[in-house]
Amino acid sequence: MSATAIVVVFSGLSAASSGANGSLGGMLAMLSAMRFLLGIGVGAEYPCGSVSASEQSEESGINKNAQHRWFTLATNSMIDFGFVVSAFVPLVLYWIFGNNHLRAVWRLSLGLGVIPAAAVFLWRLRMEEPARYRKDSMKHARIPYLLILRRYWVSLAAVSFVWFLYDFIVYPFGLYSSIIVDNITGGSTDLEVVFGWNVVINLFYMPGTLGGAFIVDYLGPKYTLITGLLCQALVGFIMSGLYKQLTSKIAAFAVVYGIFLSFGELGPGNCMGLLASKTSPTAIRGQYYGLAAAIGKVGAFVGTWAFPPIIEAFGGASSTRGNTGPFWIASGLAILSATTAFFFITPLSHDGMEKEDRAFREYLEANGFNTSTMGLPEYSSDTSSVDVQIDEKKAEAKVEEV
């Protein structure tokens, strides 16, 4: 609730940014401050929404063979849809207001972010905690961090490292798509052309995330992740080697570049949040996910900072080598990510959170921790029903096996 409220308030204040006496520098300073504070809300929203979705995906009534699918559709697919909308909204506003009223375009583009956040805030007023959280939360218990690190540090480090590399690749390509658009449109300064191409590029995220959602339950998150990374690397190498031929045909370049982005969403885009959510126990899932996601965003920052020097080091934005350099590096990092995932990330099974929670309790008890302090006291009457659901699931699984 707090996270959503922060997003509502600072989305609105971002749109209302202004400087003293009409100062441009003051307006940019306020806008930067408001976006920073908005980031705190988004940073809290990110793990809260994802871990809640992961726990809901194993509730009774969800088909066991579709658990991963529903999680990815509710999380990364919605993020990618947001990318498409965020590219399309400025274009529509530009059509409405024209080149002489750009202030209305950028202010409304930021201010409209209040609407979905406010809708989520109202929806959450009647939302209940997932059953897994009610049973295994450590909200009222002393969290044994040393025991947790001893058990989970390898998986946390692997997930965080892969997420760092993925965000290092994907965010610069998204933020600097204008450089790519500039090259394939011959340097057009027409905002309608630039905005339009950004919409086209962002649309390619959707086939990847939607297709990946229907693959992940069959290959599993680990091997879907690896498949997406290796395919992305292959396409990246093709784009680097055939850059001149592709850029001579704008449509061909846009399609191949879109496929490059699409494979990123099919693999790491869909599976990083899934692996971060389901490789840890319910008791620390929010913190585990939040830390991994934060390290990923450090990768986004580093990649965004490093992208222009990489282009310059390869020969500059006006040269073929300068434009292909990032694709060579991104493809190499994708292979490194796939290798790391193969050796250090454990495959996930359906109903995996239930099994991990049981194993975690046994581990804590074996090390002298009092597990009776776990769970939410206000929902104590509900926890027995959770155990019944778990037993029913086990019984159903045995019947299916027979």
Side-chain angles (χ1 to χ4, degrees):
M1 297 294 289
S2 301
T4 313
I6 291 170
V7 172
V8 170
V9 171
F10 291 107
S11 290
L13 289 176
S14 293
S17 296
S18 62
N21 302 316
S23 163
L24 176 61
M27 185 196 74
L28 292 174
M30 179 180 175
L31 179 60
S32 299
M34 295 305 101
R35 301 305 282 180
F36 173 84
L37 294 169
L38 172 63
I40 294 174
V42 174
E45 185 73 52
Y46 211 62
C48 285
S50 292
V51 301
S52 177
S54 70
E55 289 161 5
Q56 296 283 3
S57 72
E58 292 192 9
E59 292 275 282
S60 58
I62 301 294
N63 187 329
K64 182 187 292 188
N65 294 322
Q67 290 174 350
H68 301 329
R69 178 195 312 163
W70 287 115
F71 173 85
T72 56
L73 290 173
T75 54
N76 192 59
S77 296
M78 291 298 100
I79 293 171
D80 288 344
F81 182 64
F83 287 162
V84 175
V85 172
S86 68
F88 188 59
V89 165
L91 176 60
V92 173
L93 292 172
Y94 181 74
W95 287 337
I96 294 170
F97 292 102
N99 206 47
N100 295 323
H101 300 283
L102 295 179
R103 182 174 64 176
V105 175
W106 78 260
R107 288 190 184 278
L108 283 172
S109 294
L110 298 180
L112 288 171
V114 170
I115 296 174
V120 169
F121 184 87
L122 295 174
W123 174 64
R124 283 181 174 164
L125 289 172
R126 301 183 64 182
M127 182 178 175
E128 291 187 354
E129 298 288 1
R132 292 244 57 85
Y133 184 80
R134 297 200 298 267
K135 177 175 170 51
D136 291 304
S137 166
M138 277 190 167
K139 182 178 180 179
H140 301 292
R142 179 185 58 83
I143 301 177
Y145 286 108
L146 288 177
L147 287 176
I148 289 167
L149 283 174
R150 193 186 307 165
R151 180 175 174 84
Y152 293 105
W153 75 270
V154 173
S155 63
L156 176 60
V159 169
S160 299
F161 181 66
V162 173
W163 208 333
F164 177 94
L165 292 179
Y166 171 64
D167 281 5
F168 183 96
I169 296 169
V170 72
Y171 276 85
F173 276 117
L175 291 172
Y176 286 93
S177 60
S178 57
I179 295 175
I180 298 164
V181 168
D182 187 56
N183 280 292
I184 63 178
T185 60
S188 173
T189 56
D190 185 341
L191 285 178
E192 186 172 8
V193 173
V194 175
F195 286 159
W197 272 103
N198 277 320
V199 173
V200 171
I201 288 170
N202 280 283
L203 275 170
F204 278 100
Y205 288 124
M206 296 309 298
T209 185
L210 294 175
F214 289 89
I215 293 172
V216 68
D217 281 299
Y218 297 97
L219 293 182
K222 174 178 176 175
Y223 293 105
T224 304
L225 169 72
I226 293 171
T227 300
L229 285 168
L230 293 179
C231 290
Q232 188 177 38
L234 177 62
V235 175
F237 286 137
I238 291 171
M239 290 189 71
S240 300
L242 301 176
Y243 185 81
K244 275 190 175 179
Q245 293 90 324
L246 288 170
T247 50
S248 65
K249 299 177 180 178
I250 294 175
F253 181 87
V255 169
V256 176
Y257 177 56
I259 293 171
F260 174 82
L261 297 177
S262 195
F263 277 127
E265 295 309 298
L266 181 148
N270 275 3
C271 298
M272 288 315 308
L274 188 52
L275 288 164
S277 294
K278 296 195 175 188
T279 54
S280 60
T282 300
I284 57 149
R285 182 166 293 121
Q287 294 174 334
Y288 182 103
Y289 184 104
L291 181 57
I295 293 172
K297 296 306 168 283
V298 172
F301 168 77
V302 174
T304 304
W305 173 80
F307 205 86
I310 289 172
I311 294 173
E312 289 301 316
F314 273 83
S318 60
S319 69
T320 298
R321 288 186 73 243
N323 284 290
T324 58
F327 287 102
W328 287 113
I329 291 175
S331 298
L333 291 177
I335 292 174
L336 176 60
S337 297
T339 305
T340 303
F342 182 79
F343 286 106
F344 296 104
I345 292 180
T346 304
L348 293 179
S349 62
H350 295 107
D351 287 336
M353 289 191 296
E354 170 207 325
K355 297 170 187 174
E356 187 56 45
D357 282 344
R358 287 182 177 274
F360 182 60
R361 278 181 174 266
E362 292 170 2
Y363 168 75
L364 291 179
E365 290 166 358
N367 285 274
F369 183 84
N370 180 14
T371 57
S372 65
T373 58
M374 296 171 65
L376 300 181
E378 59 267 36
Y379 290 105
S380 58
S381 61
D382 294 343
T383 56
S384 59
S385 64
V386 176
D387 291 323
V388 169
Q389 289 175 10
I390 291 171
D391 291 337
E392 287 176 350
K393 280 187 176 182
K394 284 189 169 183
E396 289 172 5
K398 286 182 180 178
V399 170
E400 288 176 5
E401 288 174 7
V402 172

